[in-house]
Amino acid sequence: MNATPPRSSPLALTVLALLHYKPLHPYGIQRLIKDWGKEQVVNVSQRASLYRTIERLHGAGLIEILETGRDQLYPERTVYEVTDAGRDTARAWLEEMLGAPKAEFPEFPAALSNLLLLSPEEMADTLDRRATALAEKLDGIESGLLEEKAQGLPRVTRLETEYLRAVTDAELEWVRAVVKDLRAGRITWTPEVLDAFAEGAGEQ
């Protein structure tokens, strides 16, 4: 058994959290993630990643096998339950993730740092497409929140959706403002200006 717990991840934390409620087999975990809307913040699109996470948690002693069953409708299913070490680890991970902002490297900021490969017009058109996609995403999040509220779910179960709404709304507002500045010529550049800047920076 591993003495060192696996590194925290959104999926690993979610698996431990769901097993706090009741023992589950991997398919049950995946179904609950989707039924509870957690696929918005946890990637379970590939079942293999879920099984690898479960294997790591089991190898570290954070979960253990409760039983292995089989019936006529389903193949053999291993049911897992969380251990005391898993409960302690989940709590530690949760407090760390909530309390300490972590340096992350999402695609969008990386793309923004290299957008000088495009012309101002191309950049405006590209960000316009992103704004349209963000607006559609925001509509979907709003619909989801209304549905969750209609189901009578307590607000604590909707906080991640509220956060996604706030972040998406803020990004949409920012992208639209940048597009507006690009269209108005308040953000502009030319290859000559960039070449001169790069040459000057290289001589420092």
Side-chain angles (χ1 to χ4, degrees), residues 102-114 130 167 171:
K102 188 176 180 181
E104 298 174 332
F105 303 94
E107 289 183 357
F108 185 50
L112 288 173
S113 72
N114 294 288
R130 186 178 187 90
V167 171
E171 182 181 338

Side-chain angles (χ1 to χ4, degrees), residues 152-165:
L153 296 175
R155 187 182 175 198
V156 67
T157 67
R158 307 194 307 268
L159 288 180
E160 71 267 29
T161 311
E162 289 185 12
Y163 170 78
L164 288 176
R165 176 180 60 182

Side-chain angles (χ1 to χ4, degrees), residues 2-199:
N2 251 333
T4 304
R7 289 191 304 171
S8 62
S9 72
L11 181 54
L13 174 62
T14 300
V15 170
L16 291 178
L18 291 177
L19 291 179
H20 270 65
Y21 297 105
K22 62 179 180 179
L24 292 163
H25 48 71
Y27 176 76
I29 293 171
Q30 186 179 39
R31 189 183 64 222
L32 274 184
I33 288 174
K34 293 182 177 180
D35 288 348
W36 291 7
K38 294 185 181 296
E39 79 276 8
Q40 298 182 90
V41 293
V42 178
N43 185 4
V44 286
S45 58
Q46 295 183 344
R47 188 174 296 182
S49 63
L50 174 61
Y51 280 93
R52 285 195 299 270
T53 297
I54 289 173
E55 288 174 4
R56 287 197 296 269
L57 294 174
H58 181 246
L62 303 184
I63 62 175
E64 61 187 10
I65 296 174
L66 177 63
E67 62 183 14
T68 301
R70 178 190 293 273
D71 59 37
Q72 295 180 345
L73 297 178
Y74 302 103
E76 185 174 86
R77 287 185 169 179
T78 301
V79 177
Y80 295 89
E81 63 181 352
V82 66
T83 64
D84 289 340
R87 293 178 186 276
D88 293 341
T89 298
R91 183 181 180 89
W93 284 353
L94 181 60
E95 291 180 351
E96 180 183 359
M97 289 182 183
L98 287 174
K102 188 176 180 181
E104 298 174 332
F105 303 94
E107 289 183 357
F108 185 50
L112 288 173
S113 72
N114 294 288
L115 55 83
L116 299 179
L117 296 172
L118 303 177
S119 68
E121 294 79 11
E122 290 171 329
M123 181 183 172
D125 291 341
T126 302
L127 289 181
D128 246 343
R129 294 199 301 272
R130 186 178 187 90
T132 299
L134 286 170
E136 293 174 356
K137 179 181 178 181
L138 188 59
D139 287 342
I141 293 173
E142 292 282 5
S143 298
L145 275 173
L146 290 174
E147 184 177 341
E148 290 172 1
K149 190 173 182 179
Q151 292 173 354
L153 296 175
R155 187 182 175 198
V156 67
T157 67
R158 307 194 307 268
L159 288 180
E160 71 267 29
T161 311
E162 289 185 12
Y163 170 78
L164 288 176
R165 176 180 60 182
V167 171
T168 304
D169 186 51
E171 182 181 338
L172 176 58
E173 182 179 356
W174 182 83
V175 168
R176 283 174 170 168
V178 171
V179 170
K180 185 176 180 180
D181 286 343
L182 285 164
R183 301 286 191 208
R186 289 188 290 269
I187 301 178
T188 188
W189 60 90
T190 64
E192 293 76 19
V193 170
L194 296 178
D195 290 344
F197 176 78
E199 185 176 345

